[in-house]
């Protein structure tokens, strides 16, 4: 396998070719183009960049972006956040109520130890004089 140097590669890119479009019935030349490999490469690259740019602009600046899965709209995102806040607060409230009901059940069944907030006074027993 021969190694290509930069000079021959650049020379091949700049070689001129002629592209002729002919009428098949009359062999008349309809269009003639003088091209090089470099000009074809530059033209195809430019078309590719232009198409990518137009596609990105179409998605970013039009409502087409709402058809992309996972994108959603701002209104839907706002409603989702609001519903999440309401759900979280309802969940917290439900846990508080469950804890309250369980505490009431313990009190009514007598299963709780009552801690008095006062100290027990040791009253001496009265001595009986016989």
């Amino acid at each position: 396998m021969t190694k290509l140097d930069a000079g021959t590669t650049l020379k091949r890119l700049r070689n001129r070719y002629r592209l002729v479009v002919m009428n098949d019935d009359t062999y008349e030349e309809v269009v003639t183009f003088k091209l090089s490999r470099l000009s074809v490469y530059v033209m195809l690259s430019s078309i590719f960049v232009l198409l990518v740019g137009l596609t990105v602009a179409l998605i970013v600046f039009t409502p087409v972006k709402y058809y992309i899965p996972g994108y959603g709209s701002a209104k839907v995102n706002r409603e989702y956040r609001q519903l999440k806040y309401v759900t979280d607060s309802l969940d917290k409230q439900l846990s508080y109520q469950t804890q309250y009901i369980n505490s009431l059940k313990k009190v009514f069944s007598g299963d709780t130890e009552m801690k008095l907030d006062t100290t027990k006074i040791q009253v001496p027993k009265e001595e009986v004089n016989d």
Side-chain angles (χ1 to χ4, degrees):
M1 194 167 181
T2 60
K3 188 174 182 181
L4 298 175
D5 60 351
T8 59
T9 305
L10 187 60
K11 191 174 182 181
R12 275 191 297 139
L13 285 176
R14 291 187 178 190
N15 282 342
R16 311 269 311 159
Y17 299 95
R18 186 173 10 171
L19 176 66
V20 178
V21 179
M22 299 179 80
N23 187 344
D24 197 29
D25 294 332
T26 63
Y27 295 113
E28 176 187 355
E29 290 185 11
V30 178
V31 178
T32 302
F33 297 105
K34 290 185 179 177
L35 303 171
S36 68
R37 290 182 184 185
L38 184 63
S39 65
V40 171
Y41 174 73
V42 169
M43 181 183 62
L44 291 177
S45 298
S46 300
I47 289 172
F48 176 75
V49 169
L50 181 69
L51 287 177
V52 168
L54 288 175
T55 304
V56 168
L58 179 74
I59 290 172
V60 170
F61 297 116
T62 63
V64 172
K65 62 186 164 195
Y66 297 124
Y67 292 109
I68 297 174
Y71 186 80
S73 66
K75 182 180 178 186
V76 171
N77 287 340
R78 191 177 323 111
E79 288 176 358
Y80 172 72
R81 261 187 274 119
Q82 191 174 15
L83 285 174
K84 185 173 168 98
Y85 293 144
V86 170
T87 305
D88 287 344
S89 65
L90 287 174
D91 187 35
K92 190 182 287 187
Q93 189 66 30
L94 181 65
S95 68
Y96 290 154
Q97 286 181 349
T98 304
Q99 187 178 12
Y100 178 74
I101 290 172
N102 288 338
S103 297
L104 282 178
K105 284 181 182 177
K106 285 182 182 177
V107 168
F108 289 143
S109 66
D111 292 340
T112 61
E113 293 182 16
M114 297 184 64
K115 294 182 181 178
L116 300 176
D117 60 346
T118 58
T119 59
K120 189 173 183 181
I121 300 176
Q122 298 290 335
V123 178
K125 291 185 180 182
E126 290 182 32
E127 292 183 19
V128 178
N129 292 338
D130 288 324

